């Protein structure tokens, strides 16, 4: 029996069955490449679901983690943590925000955002103004707050009662949002581009209208940039391309190249409402995670990664468009930077498995949308290789 199969069998014995796992055991990575336990090579266009934005084991991040691990792994948030301070400075210098709260995941970042929004609303307007409007087909994480905010029934089944105070409206429909606002509305929570929901882009000017609505009604605009942030769309944050600024933003996936981290960013007048003792996290922003975050952000900002993302995003999109001309089961190619969805008229799950067997890692979300979220450092030759493999798979569809 090969090494991979042994691990898969052992996985079946002890790991909770929360994921339908593919029979793949990655043990090593470099750039856009991964190797499994038997030495087989893969081209990785999933990147840990938009986590490995700098590719696998980016040297600058690896060096920072190695050095930090040997110096100080963890200390309490009762103290001041230089790496955490540096990462917050970088985030604030390069965004709308004035303050950052660090945690360990996207769901936790969204928890912090909702807590801040309600706390602010209570202190500013009094009790009873707590409802958060979010979008259908959205995804905000797997905690109770996360699944309550998420606009997909499949993540909620069997888990009732959920957290009250969320209302879900169609993504991209400003009139539906406007009609849902009432005296109890506190905030609007949206992804700039819906990732898990099928790479759904907003209509032009939608976010300008949402910002206007929030300003008119005194609502907070919370952007969940857990997937779209950290360079994924070709700018450091996706909101920059909408010509607006949020009041609160959440980050996680790409922020520390794979070391677990989450962050909630806010403007000063909001952030002050979470005072000492109101919120916290044991691990949040610890020296190891934030050292990885600093090295990740510095690389993103200083080494032409955003530019490469825009360029390779255009190239991958145009190559996928060519496949669309060739195969009539491809309905649509859409995306921004290097978050790209290919909507099919048929199920895509089997294609993902076939691709894997041929050394290409991709993903299919909501059944019929192939999702491409490769490392932002991908090059033309790697894209050509992926397109060739996909062309072969598509040509076998009958
Ligand atoms: C992945 C994701 C989350 C959840 O992040 P976790 O780190 O898994 O908790 C939340 N929101 C969006 C938009 C995501 O893509």
């Amino acid at each position: 029996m090969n090494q991979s199969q042994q691990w898969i069998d052992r996985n079946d014995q002890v790991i909770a069955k929360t994921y339908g796992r593919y029979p793949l055991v990655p043990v090593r990575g470099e750039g856009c490449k991964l190797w499994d336990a038997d030495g087989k090579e893969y081209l990785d266009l999933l990147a840990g679901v938009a986590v490995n934005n700098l590719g696998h084991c980016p040297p600058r991040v690896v060096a920072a983690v190695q050095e930090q691990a040997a110096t100080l792994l963890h200390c309490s948030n009762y103290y001041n943590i230089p790496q955490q301070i540096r990462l917050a400075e970088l985030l604030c210098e390069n965004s709308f925000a004035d303050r950052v709260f660090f945690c360990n995941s996207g769901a936790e970042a969204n928890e912090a955002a909702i807590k801040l929004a309600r706390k602010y609303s209570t202190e500013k307007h009094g009790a009873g103004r707590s409802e958060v409007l979010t979008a259908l087909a959205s995804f905000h994480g797997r905690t109770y707050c996360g699944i309550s905010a998420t606009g997909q029934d499949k993540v909620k089944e069997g888990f009732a009662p959920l957290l009250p105070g969320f209302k879900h409206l169609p993504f991209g429909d400003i009139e539906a949002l406007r009609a849902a606002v009432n005296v109890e509305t506190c905030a609007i929570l949206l992804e700039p581009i819906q990732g898990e929901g099928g790479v759904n882009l907003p209509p032009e000017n939608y976010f300008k209208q949402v910002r206007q609505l929030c300003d008119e009604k005194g609502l907070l605009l919370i952007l969940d940039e857990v997937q779209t942030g950290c360079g994924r769309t070709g700018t450091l944050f996706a909101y920059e391309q909408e010509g607006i600024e949020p009041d609160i933003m959440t980050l996680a996936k790409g922020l520390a190249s794979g070391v677990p981290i989450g962050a909630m960013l806010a403007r000063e007048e909001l952030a002050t409402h979470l005072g000492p003792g109101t919120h916290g996290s044991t691990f949040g922003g610890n020296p190891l995670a934030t050292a990885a975050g600093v090295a990740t952000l510095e690389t993103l900002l200083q080494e032409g990664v955003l530019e490469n993302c825009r360029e390779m995003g255009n190239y991958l999109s145009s190559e996928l468009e060519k496949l669309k001309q060739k195969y009539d089961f491809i309905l649509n190619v859409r995306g921004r930077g290097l978050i790209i969805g290919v909507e099919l008229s048929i199920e895509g799950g089997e294609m993902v498995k076939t691709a894997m067997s041929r050394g290409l890692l991709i993903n299919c979300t909501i059944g019929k949308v192939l999702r491409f979220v490769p490392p932002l450092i991908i090059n033309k030759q790697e894209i050509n290789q992926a397109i060739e493999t996909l062309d072969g798979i598509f040509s076998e569809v009958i």
Side-chain angles (χ1 to χ4, degrees):
M1 211 188 324
N2 63 31
Q3 294 284 317
S4 295
Q5 192 56 50
Q6 291 184 32
W7 285 116
I8 291 161
D9 292 345
R10 286 168 67 177
N11 181 96
D12 279 347
Q13 298 301 311
V14 292
I15 300 297
K17 295 173 182 275
T18 54
Y19 282 84
R21 291 176 202 266
Y22 294 99
L24 174 61
V25 184
V27 294
R28 190 166 66 86
E30 189 184 321
C32 297
K33 294 197 174 76
L34 265 185
W35 289 270
D36 73 13
D38 295 295
K40 180 175 167 179
E41 183 179 301
Y42 299 84
L43 179 61
D44 184 5
L45 269 57
L46 179 59
V49 194
V51 167
N52 301 111
N53 287 8
L54 301 178
H56 294 282
C57 300
R60 196 163 162 177
V61 179
V62 170
V65 167
Q66 284 174 333
E67 192 188 332
Q68 192 58 48
T71 311
L72 183 67
L73 276 172
H74 176 80
C75 72
S76 166
N77 273 306
Y78 289 130
Y79 310 127
N80 302 280
I81 302 170
Q83 297 73 24
Q84 185 183 117
I85 297 162
R86 184 67 199 124
L87 181 54
E89 286 172 350
L90 275 172
L91 288 169
C92 292
E93 280 160 19
N94 290 285
S95 76
F96 71 96
D98 303 306
R99 288 187 189 274
V100 186
F101 171 81
F102 287 106
C103 48
N104 313 287
S105 68
E108 273 180 74
N110 287 331
E111 297 272 347
I114 300 300
K115 282 181 75 174
L116 171 57
R118 287 184 173 166
K119 184 94 166 138
Y120 167 82
S121 192
T122 304
E123 290 177 358
K124 180 154 174 148
H125 305 291
R129 195 168 143 157
S130 60
E131 189 165 76
V132 178
L133 307 180
T134 83
L136 288 166
S138 63
F139 182 77
H140 300 293
R142 297 290 192 156
T143 59
Y144 262 103
C145 175
I147 61 174
S148 303
T150 293
Q152 304 184 47
D153 290 338
K154 67 176 187 197
V155 307
K156 309 184 190 199
E157 274 159 29
F159 294 120
L162 299 181
L163 195 64
F166 292 92
K167 197 181 277 171
H168 304 95
L169 291 314
F171 183 64
D173 183 344
I174 187 66
E175 290 315 319
L177 265 186
R178 189 182 298 282
V181 174
N182 61 37
V183 291
E184 290 179 6
T185 314
C186 155
I188 297 176
L189 165 64
L190 294 167
E191 296 158 87
I193 295 170
Q194 293 188 324
E196 303 305 301
V199 191
N200 304 319
L201 274 72
E204 207 162 326
N205 286 325
Y206 174 64
F207 276 96
K208 281 204 175 115
Q209 293 168 317
V210 174
R211 180 69 267 181
Q212 215 166 25
L213 177 63
C214 288
D215 293 343
E216 244 168 66
K217 307 282 183 182
L219 311 176
L220 299 176
L221 176 55
I222 308 170
L223 290 184
D224 179 344
E225 292 230 26
V226 168
Q227 187 157 160
T228 57
C230 307
R232 177 57 52 194
T233 65
T235 47
L236 191 57
F237 306 112
Y239 77 77
E240 297 169 43
Q241 296 176 56
E242 299 293 347
I244 56 125
E245 288 184 347
D247 300 299
I248 302 172
M249 172 170 75
T250 55
L251 300 174
K253 290 190 165 84
L255 186 52
S257 299
V259 181
I261 194 169
M264 189 267 299
L265 289 73
R267 289 187 292 106
E268 176 70 17
E269 64 266 37
L270 288 169
T272 52
H273 287 264
L274 284 183
T278 57
H279 194 45
S281 165
T282 299
F283 291 127
N286 89 358
L288 185 75
T290 46
V294 169
T296 299
L297 264 197
E298 285 179 345
T299 308
L300 271 174
L301 292 167
Q302 295 165 7
E303 294 183 19
V305 179
L306 298 176
E307 194 181 21
N308 190 69
C309 172
R310 292 193 290 269
E311 222 171 278
M312 290 303 113
N314 286 338
Y315 183 63
L316 177 54
S317 284
S318 69
E319 291 301 298
L320 290 168
E321 275 291 343
K322 285 185 201 161
L323 292 181
K324 175 173 174 274
Q325 300 309 317
K326 217 165 143 183
Y327 301 104
D328 58 9
F329 56 83
I330 301 181
L331 300 179
N332 184 268
V333 177
R334 56 186 183 239
R336 199 173 288 161
L338 282 167
I339 175 168
I340 300 170
V342 173
E343 186 171 353
L344 310 173
S345 61
I346 54 178
E347 293 290 321
E350 279 307 312
M351 292 183 187
V352 173
K353 287 184 194 163
T354 309
M356 203 181 80
S357 73
R358 296 179 193 182
L360 176 67
L361 303 182
I362 56 171
N363 167 257
C364 179
T365 184
I366 64 161
K368 293 183 175 173
V369 178
L370 299 180
R371 177 173 47 165
F372 299 86
V373 283
L376 311 183
I377 55 150
I378 195 168
N379 62 35
K380 243 180 175 169
Q381 182 245 319
E382 288 162 331
I383 290 175
N384 291 341
Q385 184 189 329
I387 292 291
E388 199 177 307
T389 305
L390 284 170
D391 197 2
I393 294 166
F394 291 162
S395 72
E396 292 161 20
V397 170
I398 25 149

